[in-house]
Amino acid sequence: MNAAWAFPFIFVAGMLQAVGAAMGGQLNKSLHNPWLATSVSFMLVMFATVTLFACMPRPLPSVGDVMSMPWWAPLGGIVGAVAVFAGFLLIQKLGAGPVNGVTITANILASLAIDHFGLLRMEQHSMNWQRALGGALMIGGVTLIAKF
C-alpha cells in the first residue's frame, strides 16, 4: 500500500468522522430518539453499501475464506455502532470536542493494547516509551479539551 495517499485519506476520514458525529447529534435532536436516529443513519449506510456492492460485486470470498473467518469478525459493525450511538446521545450535551476527543483517545489506547498483545489476529507492534508517551499526551489533550 502506498502511504502517500493512505494517510491523507485517513486524515479526511477522521475529519468526516467528527462532522458525522455532529450531524448525528443533530439527527438525534430532531428525532428525539437516539435509537431511531441510529437506525436512520445505519439504514442510509446500508443502502449506500448495498448499492456499491451491486455496482462492484467482485471479489467474493471463497467458502474456505468464510470458514476460516473468526466467529467474532462480523461483530465489528455492532461494536462500532456503540460509538455512533454514544455520539448521537451525548454530543449535544457535551460538545463535539469532548465526545470526539474521548472517543479518539479511547480508540488510541485500545489500539495500543491490540498492537502490543497482537489481539484479534493483528500483527504485534510492541509498546515502547514513545507509544506510551503518545497515549499519555492524548489523555492530557482530551482532558484539556473537555475541561476548558
Side-chain angles (χ1 to χ4, degrees), residues 63-81:
V63 172
D65 293 331
V66 174
M67 296 303 291
S68 67
M69 176 179 62
W71 66 267
W72 42 262
L75 301 177
I78 293 173
V79 171

Side-chain angles (χ1 to χ4, degrees), residues 88-113:
F88 282 14
L89 186 64
L90 299 170
I91 202 161
Q92 292 289 338
K93 294 176 182 148
L94 302 175
V99 168
N100 286 315
V102 170
T103 300
I104 293 163
T105 300
N107 184 307
I108 292 292
L109 296 176
S111 296
L112 289 172

Side-chain angles (χ1 to χ4, degrees), residues 5 12 21 27 58 72 96 99 102 104 106 109 122 139 143 145-146:
W5 70 267
V12 170
L27 179 64
R58 301 277 188 265
W72 42 262
V99 168
V102 170
I104 293 163
L109 296 176
M122 294 295 295
I139 293 169
T143 300
I145 289 168

Side-chain angles (χ1 to χ4, degrees), residues 26-43:
Q26 187 59 49
L27 179 64
N28 180 50
K29 184 177 177 181
S30 298
L31 297 180
H32 306 289
N33 184 321
W35 298 109
L36 178 59
T38 302
S39 298
V40 167
S41 180
F42 278 96
M43 284 189 307

